[in-house]
Amino acid sequence: MRCFGDGDPLYEAYHDDEWGVAVHGDRALFERIALEGFQSGLSWITVLRKRPAFRAAFAGFDPELVARFDEADVARLLADAGIVRNRAKIEATVANAHALLVLAESGRTLDDVIWSHAPAAPGRERPATWADVPSQTAESMALARELKSLGFRFVGPTTAYASMQACGLVDDHLAGCRVVVAR
C-alpha cells in the first residue's frame, strides 16, 4: 500500500524512492527548496512532471551558474512553457542561489543549516491520516526564519515543512504505507 502516488508511474517512483529519503549536499538541497517554492499553490505532480525542464532551465541547479542569471535569463525563463512561469518564484530561485554562495563564503553549508532543524525522530509514530500531517511545525518555522535571515526567499514555514518532508528530515508516510525510510 502506498499513501499517495498510485496510478501514475512517475508519482509512484517519487513516493517509493524519493519522498522522505534523506537528501544531503547543497546543490541537491537547493534544487529541492527551489522546486518546493515553485510548487506553492500547485499540486506536486505538476512540478514533478516539469522537473526535467526545471533542471535544464536552471542549469542543473548549479548555484554558481544560477547566481549569474540576469534579467535576460529571467525573461527566458518566463517564456519557457516547460516550467512554472512565475516571476516571483524565478527571481527567488536566483536570489536563493546568491544566498547559498554567501552562506558558503561564510564557511557554512545549506546542508548544515537545514539538517540542524531536523526534529528528533525516535519514538515518532507515522500519521494515521493526511489530516494528522501538519502543514508546519516549530522546526519548520525555525528553519524558515533562519533561511530568511540568510537571504533566502519563498521559504515560509509551510514550504520549509514540505522541504523537510521531501528531504527526509521527517517521515510523514502514513501508518500502513509500505515504504520504510531510514534517516
Side-chain angles (χ1 to χ4, degrees):
M1 174 183 149
R2 278 186 192 89
C3 52
F4 69 86
D6 281 335
D8 182 309
L10 180 64
Y11 216 13
E12 289 174 358
Y14 177 74
H15 171 274
D16 294 354
D17 303 327
E18 290 187 63
W19 195 69
V21 175
V23 174
H24 288 281
D26 283 6
R27 188 171 178 165
L29 290 166
F30 171 58
E31 175 181 349
R32 297 317 193 289
I33 287 173
L35 294 178
E36 290 296 341
F38 276 102
Q39 182 274 330
S40 182
L42 303 171
S43 68
W44 177 246
I45 190 63
T46 299
V47 173
L48 191 58
R49 288 181 179 135
K50 292 177 177 276
R51 184 163 58 172
F54 273 112
R55 287 176 172 162
F58 283 95
F61 289 98
D62 181 329
E64 290 189 17
L65 297 176
V66 175
R68 291 188 216 139
F69 282 14
D70 58 16
E71 189 54 42
D73 290 299
V74 171
R76 170 184 58 82
L77 294 168
L78 286 169
D80 187 341
I83 67 168
V84 174
R85 297 176 288 179
N86 178 299
R87 179 178 288 276
K89 294 175 182 183
I90 291 168
E91 290 176 345
T93 302
V94 175
N96 291 349
H98 285 279
L100 178 52
L101 295 181
V102 170
L103 182 66
E105 288 172 8
S106 75
R108 297 179 69 198
T109 68
L110 184 58
D111 194 291
D112 291 338
V113 170
I114 289 176
W115 280 91
S116 73
H117 293 279
R124 182 177 183 267
E125 291 185 30
R126 283 183 165 180
T129 69
W130 288 114
D132 299 324
V133 177
S135 62
Q136 57 185 271
T137 61
E139 292 89 356
S140 75
M141 288 185 263
L143 175 57
R145 195 169 33 256
E146 182 169 6
L147 289 171
K148 287 179 182 180
S149 77
L150 294 168
F152 286 80
R153 295 172 26 197
F154 238 92
V155 288
T158 301
T159 299
Y161 192 72
S163 297
M164 293 169 81
Q165 291 171 308
C167 296
L169 280 74
V170 295
D171 177 6
D172 279 340
H173 285 279
L174 298 182
C177 181
R178 65 185 182 89
V179 170
V180 176
V181 178
R183 225 167 88 186

